[in-house]
Amino acid sequence: KNVMLAASGDMSDIQRSFAEACGVRFDGKESLVLDHFAFEPSVDPDNLHDVIKSTSFIKNRAVLGGFIDTEGSKPEASVLYRGLGHALRSDNELAVPILRGNPSTYSKDAGKKTPIVATGTGVRLVTGMQGRNNARMLFSGSLDPFSNEFARVPGAGNAAFVLSAAFWAVGA
């Protein structure tokens, strides 16, 4: 009953349709989330600034458990992210943005006439959704935040973040 969907630019039409049916619209195939102020150069060899260091995550222990300290404030660690952004349908009252872009983040789609898709905290990176039947879904525009490469970067909180988000998604 629980689903975790990590997408990429080459995601299938079926995956896109499923996400859209849930109120999550992923950016286009040629999209990229960028941040020229909060990026991680150690895993960005081409210096594209496409590995962002996000500190905009939900401050809710029910969702992020051990990633959030006992006072409910956010930890010092940032979450590394490289991939697609997504938007939420405005009437989607069951969705909760778990990880968003920073104020300096933007989503760019090279395949569109107007290349900037979204900016700042309006760039959704990881979203959770809980149905009225308590089924849970987790949507991410990338597998990279879940990777060992990102978990091993000093100062990155990816290991704790993805473990907490996955535990929430599967109801553990």
Side-chain angles (χ1 to χ4, degrees):
K1 71 178 186 178
N2 300 333
V3 175
M4 291 176 52
L5 174 68
S8 68
D10 59 352
M11 67 191 295
S12 72
D13 291 340
I14 293 172
Q15 291 170 313
R16 280 190 185 276
S17 294
F18 173 75
E20 286 191 27
C22 297
V24 176
R25 175 169 285 145
F26 284 100
D27 296 342
K29 289 181 178 186
E30 300 176 43
S31 292
L32 205 54
V33 174
L34 302 167
D35 195 320
H36 299 295
F37 296 97
F39 61 93
E40 179 53 52
S42 70
V43 287
D44 184 11
D46 298 326
N47 203 27
L48 297 174
H49 302 170
D50 65 340
V51 179
I52 70 166
K53 293 175 12 176
S54 178
T55 55
S56 297
F57 33 81
I58 192 168
K59 300 176 191 175
N60 185 324
R61 286 186 54 80
V63 176
L64 289 181
F67 186 65
I68 304 295
D69 68 20
T70 54
E71 287 80 41
S73 64
K74 59 186 183 179
E76 296 300 317
S78 57
V79 178
L80 301 181
Y81 185 90
R82 174 178 46 213
L84 296 177
H86 60 270
L88 301 177
R89 212 171 49 215
S90 61
D91 65 345
N92 191 349
E93 60 190 37
L94 302 176
V96 177
I98 295 175
L99 181 66
R100 299 174 299 170
N102 300 307
S104 55
T105 302
Y106 65 99
S107 181
K108 178 181 177 184
D109 189 341
K112 289 190 173 183
K113 286 183 182 179
T114 308
I116 303 300
V117 179
T119 59
T121 57
V123 179
R124 307 298 196 242
L125 306 174
V126 177
T127 294
M129 199 160 109
Q130 183 166 333
R132 290 184 173 85
N133 64 352
N134 289 330
R136 293 180 178 172
M137 292 178 264
L138 186 72
F139 296 93
S140 172
S142 176
L143 274 172
D144 285 344
F146 301 87
S147 71
N148 287 338
E149 177 187 19
F150 282 16
R152 292 184 184 126
V153 173
N158 284 57
F161 173 83
V162 299
L163 187 61
S164 295
F167 275 177
W168 174 83
V170 299

